[in-house]
Amino acid sequence: MPQDTELARRLQAVTLRIVNAARHADRPAPALLAVGKTRDAGEIDALCALRIALGEARSGFGENYVQEAAGKIEALANRPIEWHLIGHLQSNKARQAAELFDWVQTIDRPKLVAALARHRPPRRAPLNALVQVNIDDEGSKHGCRPADVPALAAAIAAEPRLVLRGLMAIPAPHPDPGRRRGAFARMRALYEALAAAHPTVDTLSMGMSDDLEQAIAEGATLVRVGTALFGPRERR
């Protein structure tokens, strides 16, 4: 099967999963963020073309690494792509991230808030910001504690060069779907409380290739999908 045909098949399958899950949960279908980690600009360009053909005015793509993303963003500058940073952001990469991305989904400490605001170029719209939450309190995961969300969100909301849009999480990959859904439910509760306090909050980023149905059932407004779209990725 030609590569672009296989890509179209995968996109159709993922879209159907999202639509069916939303219908089953009686919730609005979330936006799809295609994760381009380890994928080259040509692969992203091909998927972007398919999404444009389906009527998307602007496609969301997520990248884990600032340096890896930089070349792709430059190569695809003429494509209608909204670029999201979804990987851990080191403080020394904050300037470049603020210059390159439309969204940063992984803000988990006050130092990043100040750095991103300081380095966001005046010529660009304010940077869309999500607070990353370590919802399962995993020692190996980045993200703030749930109790720290209000203060961190308030710090973002106070910066004119940032816009607080919501929350992001990567729950523990527990084999029991019910356990994962419990984490998603806790995220939804945090999100609803945050939205009640901040009128700009409209995004709950959670759910990936293997658990997007559970995330949608609990109210995800954006799901991050890589493997189910592009196939298994090469190890770095």
Side-chain angles (χ1 to χ4, degrees), residues 189-234:
L190 285 173
Y191 170 75
E192 289 174 349
L194 192 66
H198 296 277
T200 59
V201 169
D202 60 4
T203 302
L204 179 55
S205 172
M206 61 184 191
M208 298 186 288
S209 293
D210 60 349
D211 58 11
L212 63 85
E213 284 84 3
Q214 290 91 357
I216 292 170
E218 292 300 336
T221 70
L222 182 150
V223 291
R224 309 179 304 273
V225 180
T227 302
L229 285 171
F230 292 108
R233 58 175 174 252
E234 297 179 1

Side-chain angles (χ1 to χ4, degrees), residues 3 15 20 36 49 52-53 57 60 66 81 86 88 118 134 137-138 140-143 150-151 162 173 175 197 209 213:
Q3 183 177 2
T15 301
N20 285 343
I52 290 171
V66 174
I81 293 176
I86 60 172
H88 175 64
R118 183 168 65 252
N134 186 348
D137 194 26
E138 294 179 89
S140 62
K141 288 276 182 68
H142 298 287
L162 307 179
S209 293
E213 284 84 3

Side-chain angles (χ1 to χ4, degrees), residues 20-34:
N20 285 343
R23 184 181 297 120
H24 182 74
D26 194 24
R27 293 185 181 276
L32 170 62
L33 186 73

Side-chain angles (χ1 to χ4, degrees), residues 61-74:
F61 283 84
E63 291 289 332
N64 288 67
Y65 304 107
V66 174
Q67 287 300 113
E68 181 182 329
K72 301 177 192 179
I73 293 172
E74 181 179 3

Side-chain angles (χ1 to χ4, degrees), residues 99-121:
E99 293 172 348
L100 288 173
F101 289 93
D102 301 295
W103 292 66
V104 173
Q105 295 200 16
T106 52
I107 298 176
D108 60 2
R109 56 200 188 278
K111 185 177 181 180
L112 277 184
V113 176
L116 289 168
R118 183 168 65 252
H119 294 304
R120 183 64 170 176

Side-chain angles (χ1 to χ4, degrees), residues 50-185:
L50 288 171
R51 297 176 74 176
I52 290 171
L54 292 173
E56 287 192 16
R58 192 166 171 83
S59 299
F61 283 84
E63 291 289 332
N64 288 67
Y65 304 107
V66 174
Q67 287 300 113
E68 181 182 329
K72 301 177 192 179
I73 293 172
E74 181 179 3
L76 300 172
N78 293 325
R79 280 297 199 187
I81 293 176
E82 191 171 67
W83 293 98
H84 295 235
L85 179 64
I86 60 172
H88 175 64
L89 178 58
Q90 297 175 321
S91 297
N92 64 358
K93 295 290 196 303
R95 176 192 289 273
Q96 193 175 14
E99 293 172 348
L100 288 173
F101 289 93
D102 301 295
W103 292 66
V104 173
Q105 295 200 16
T106 52
I107 298 176
D108 60 2
R109 56 200 188 278
K111 185 177 181 180
L112 277 184
V113 176
L116 289 168
R118 183 168 65 252
H119 294 304
R120 183 64 170 176
R123 69 182 183 279
R124 298 203 60 183
L127 180 67
N128 297 294
L130 299 185
V131 175
Q132 182 179 2
V133 184
N134 186 348
I135 193 62
D136 286 318
D137 194 26
E138 294 179 89
S140 62
K141 288 276 182 68
H142 298 287
C144 72
R145 298 179 305 162
D148 294 334
V149 167
L152 193 53
I156 294 170
E159 293 286 358
R161 300 302 299 147
L162 307 179
V163 179
L164 176 66
R165 297 295 297 271
L167 302 175
M168 177 268 216
I170 308 171
H174 198 280
D176 178 4
R179 291 280 293 273
R180 291 199 209 185
R181 184 160 176 174
F184 291 138

